[in-house]
Amino acid sequence: MGNKKKTTIKDIANVLGITPSAVSRALNNHPRISEKTKIAVKQVAENLNYQPNHLASALRKGKSNLVGVIIPRNNSNFFSSVLENIEEVLNKKGYNIIITQSNESYKKECSSIEALLYTQVDGVIASMANETVDLSYYEKIKSKGIPLILFDRGENDLNVDYVGIDDYLTSHMIVEHLLDQGCKRIAHIAGYSKTRIYKNRIRGYNDALEKHGLPIEKDLIIESNLRLNDGRRVMQELLNLNERPDAVYAAGDYAALGALQVLEEQGIKVPEEIALVGFSNEPFTSFVKPSISTIDQKSALIGKLAAEAFLERVNNPKVKASLNKIIVDAELIIRDSSNKKE
């Protein structure tokens, strides 16, 4: 059976005996079209299951009222919260969002950007995939004059608005906390250092150790995708060292959870034998036993500020895009997994 023909404005016009342009004006609530005609057009459109061609409309108007949002993954409370707040702010200003996820894949991220550009989005708000090193697709967004806002993960070289935390200082704060708990051999389950935020977290970790006269041991820094299975694998590697760590700082909560599972399976007491700190304040961190110390990145505020940065660019299109870092203060939430001094 062939595909059913899509209803067009011309089909509605034929039913009512009016011109297609009159139908178009009625659907767009034009003041010169009578209320009677508008009601008739909308009723026929509904009866014929007419679906407007938003892409064609965007091409005509030069504006789609759509904003593309690219996230690395959707199974994270951090990204879900950012999305919710971006959408809330933009909906109030008449924009809808199109959500795509890269699954940490550079190739998928590039295809998402192509699809969003084809859809004629009015802007892109993005957090980069772990694999992304080549910035040419993001440069392509800029070259078309489309506002680009980066959050959480971004690169200074793109010279656009960025909203996030100070990863260097936050990482420094975590190490200081663990040292304050009496830990001396702190391991770091890191994200890939090619990604700026994880590079800065590693740098903060290293500098905090150096500040306190502790050696930086390469065996104690292991880069990964920070998923649950990565946390399990890396924790096992750390336990297999001749001298195991007395604390673990994971740059993501899912990796921290994986590490905690391995420690529990092997009967290692947390925090007495090995203290543990994660990153992102995922909901499960407060439910598990022991509860996991972590960083609250203020995701709701990041989402709100990213949306407002886009609106600012739209309202001031003649202002040349430049690196504008909006830094949000993160908070260390100390829970049972690292609190040795109760």
Side-chain angles (χ1 to χ4, degrees):
M1 192 170 77
N3 290 331
K4 190 175 179 181
K5 184 174 175 289
K6 195 172 180 181
T7 300
T8 67
I9 283 177
K10 191 175 179 182
D11 295 326
I12 300 169
N14 288 339
V15 170
L16 293 169
I18 59 177
T19 64
S21 61
V23 172
S24 178
R25 290 192 189 99
L27 290 170
N28 287 292
N29 205 27
H30 195 284
R32 290 189 180 179
I33 301 296
S34 71
E35 284 302 314
K36 182 180 177 182
T37 301
K38 287 177 185 176
I39 291 168
V41 166
K42 287 172 184 175
Q43 185 61 59
V44 173
E46 188 176 327
N47 292 344
L48 296 179
N49 196 26
Y50 169 72
Q51 299 293 325
N53 187 332
H54 290 295
L55 179 55
S57 177
L59 287 169
R60 285 196 305 273
K61 297 176 184 175
K63 186 175 174 65
S64 65
N65 285 97
L66 296 171
V67 177
V69 184
I70 305 171
I71 57 171
R73 57 186 184 277
N74 64 10
N75 67 339
S76 155
N77 184 66
F78 171 76
F79 289 116
S80 297
S81 175
V82 170
L83 280 173
E84 182 182 347
N85 284 274
I86 287 173
E87 187 169 36
E88 183 179 347
V89 172
L90 293 185
N91 281 174
K92 288 176 182 175
K93 298 296 182 179
Y95 290 92
N96 288 308
I97 66 173
I98 300 174
I99 302 164
T100 69
Q101 66 169 335
S102 64
N103 285 320
E104 305 291 9
S105 161
Y106 169 69
K107 187 176 178 181
K108 195 165 189 302
E109 186 174 72
C110 292
S111 65
S112 292
I113 290 172
E114 287 285 11
L116 292 173
L117 292 177
Y118 177 77
T119 311
Q120 303 285 320
V121 292
D122 294 334
V124 174
I125 301 174
S127 184
M128 291 181 176
N130 270 340
E131 289 183 6
T132 300
V133 177
D134 182 351
L135 303 178
S136 56
Y137 270 79
Y138 283 102
E139 291 287 2
K140 188 174 181 179
I141 297 170
K142 286 182 62 184
S143 71
K144 292 182 177 292
I146 296 170
L148 171 62
I149 313 297
L150 299 176
F151 72 92
D152 186 47
R153 307 183 196 171
E155 290 299 331
N156 294 346
D157 293 346
L158 282 167
N159 228 29
V160 295
D161 293 312
Y162 169 78
V163 186
I165 63 170
D166 188 322
D167 290 282
Y168 172 83
L169 289 179
T170 305
S171 193
H172 205 285
M173 179 167 58
I174 291 170
V175 175
E176 292 272 5
H177 161 65
L178 290 168
L179 292 171
D180 186 55
Q181 300 301 305
C183 303
K184 298 294 183 189
R185 189 170 165 77
I186 302 168
H188 183 32
I189 303 178
Y192 290 115
S193 56
K194 62 190 176 187
T195 304
R196 186 185 56 81
I197 63 167
Y198 297 124
K199 182 179 182 179
N200 284 339
R201 289 178 197 179
I202 293 170
R203 196 164 58 86
Y205 161 87
N206 287 340
D207 286 358
L209 292 179
E210 283 191 337
K211 177 184 171 184
H212 290 270
L214 294 172
I216 296 169
E217 300 180 48
K218 290 184 179 179
D219 287 349
L220 293 180
I221 307 171
I222 302 176
E223 297 181 16
S224 75
N225 254 327
L226 297 175
R227 291 173 177 152
L228 187 138
N229 284 339
D230 295 306
R232 290 185 61 87
R233 173 181 55 78
V234 175
M235 189 69 249
Q236 192 59 63
E237 285 184 43
L238 293 170
L239 291 177
N240 289 339
L241 295 174
N242 290 332
E243 188 183 353
R244 74 186 190 190
D246 59 8
V248 174
Y249 153 35
D253 281 337
Y254 281 94
L257 179 61
L260 180 62
Q261 289 175 351
V262 169
L263 292 171
E264 287 185 329
E265 288 163 10
Q266 301 208 13
I268 296 169
K269 292 180 181 177
V270 178
E272 293 84 357
E273 294 179 77
I274 296 181
L276 178 67
V277 177
F279 209 110
S280 278
N281 197 26
E282 293 290 336
F284 64 76
T285 55
S286 64
F287 302 145
V288 295
K289 297 290 182 182
S291 55
I292 300 174
S293 298
T294 187
I295 292 292
D296 183 353
Q297 293 174 264
K298 308 298 181 184
S299 54
L301 182 56
I302 286 176
K304 179 174 178 287
L305 291 172
E308 289 175 352
F310 160 73
L311 293 171
E312 183 69 23
R313 289 295 176 193
V314 169
N315 292 332
N316 298 285
K318 292 182 180 178
V319 176
K320 188 178 178 182
S322 61
L323 180 60
N324 175 32
K325 284 191 174 184
I326 304 165
I327 303 301
V328 173
D329 289 332
E331 178 187 358
L332 173 61
I333 300 173
I334 300 170
R335 297 195 179 110
D336 296 340
S337 70
S338 70
N339 193 355
K340 292 187 176 188
K341 294 187 175 181
E342 281 188 315

